[in-house]
Amino acid sequence: MTGKTHASCGILVGALAIEYYKTDLFTSVTIVVLAVIASLLPDICHTQSKIGRKIRIVSFFIRLLFGHRTFTHSILFIVIIGLGLYVIQTPQYYFMTIITGLISHVILDMLTPKGVKLFYPIPLTVKLPITFKTGGLVDLSLASALIIGSLYTLFKSNIDDLIKYFISY
């Protein structure tokens, strides 16, 4: 999937976390930012990814050590990040947002023909039964649907009020 699709899913993850935890404005903005970063983070292993271009030297060494869609796309990576967040006593709403953002990235990449090394270091490629070409029409449509879902989640009460208003006429 493209960075836009991963970021769109991150926004939805953030919106759902805000809805679930009923956070204040500052925390809500932080949640969305963390969700987007977490949803892009596994592609740190690719120097041409959105996040890889921002910290190119780190990306280069991770790619050199592990390759693409291996360690950073695995359960092991998610567990290590989770343990780190637990050790520094991350509040639950940030913890769940970051972990869910990471998981969303891995699931979306399992929708591509290349799949991921989910059980790294075991060299088994995992992909879902239905796959789509990265950057294709389905990828773009998915990104659009995720943004629409995010907007609906964030503005649900306003949208519901508008719908009720127009239906009553």
Side-chain angles (χ1 to χ4, degrees):
M1 295 293 156
T2 64
K4 288 179 180 80
T5 305
H6 288 302
S8 299
C9 194
I11 293 168
L12 179 59
V13 165
L16 291 168
I18 291 166
E19 177 70 21
Y20 181 79
Y21 290 105
K22 307 290 186 209
T23 55
D24 61 56
L25 181 60
F26 176 79
T27 305
S28 297
V29 171
T30 306
I31 282 173
V32 171
V33 169
L34 287 173
V36 170
I37 291 169
S39 71
L40 295 171
L41 184 61
D43 273 344
I44 191 70
C45 63
H46 184 23
T47 56
Q48 296 306 309
S49 68
K50 288 195 181 298
I51 198 159
R53 289 190 305 254
K54 300 289 183 209
I55 40 182
R56 196 174 298 271
I57 191 76
V58 173
S59 179
F60 173 79
F61 282 110
I62 290 174
R63 176 79 178 235
L64 193 63
L65 286 171
F66 302 108
H68 183 50
R69 291 191 180 181
T70 59
F71 172 65
T72 61
H73 287 68
S74 70
I75 294 170
L76 177 61
F77 180 72
I78 295 168
V79 167
I80 289 170
I81 297 291
L83 287 173
L85 294 171
Y86 177 78
V87 167
I88 63 170
Q89 299 180 350
T90 305
Q92 184 179 11
Y93 42 84
Y94 293 147
F95 180 93
M96 292 306 296
T97 298
I98 293 166
I99 296 302
T100 307
L102 293 170
I103 291 169
S104 76
H105 182 104
V106 173
I107 290 170
L108 286 173
D109 278 357
M110 287 168 55
L111 284 168
T112 65
K114 290 184 181 177
V116 300
K117 303 288 189 227
L118 187 62
F119 303 107
Y120 183 87
I122 298 168
L124 174 69
T125 299
V126 178
K127 55 186 171 182
L128 295 173
I130 299 171
T131 60
F132 307 101
K133 179 182 154 211
T134 299
L137 183 59
V138 173
D139 193 352
L140 177 62
S141 300
L142 183 57
S144 301
L146 291 166
I147 287 295
I148 290 168
S150 302
L151 291 172
Y152 179 74
T153 302
L154 289 170
F155 300 106
K156 184 179 183 309
S157 62
N158 302 86
I159 293 169
D160 289 348
D161 290 345
L162 275 173
I163 291 169
K164 288 176 188 172
Y165 177 79
F166 286 112
I167 288 176
S168 67
Y169 281 106

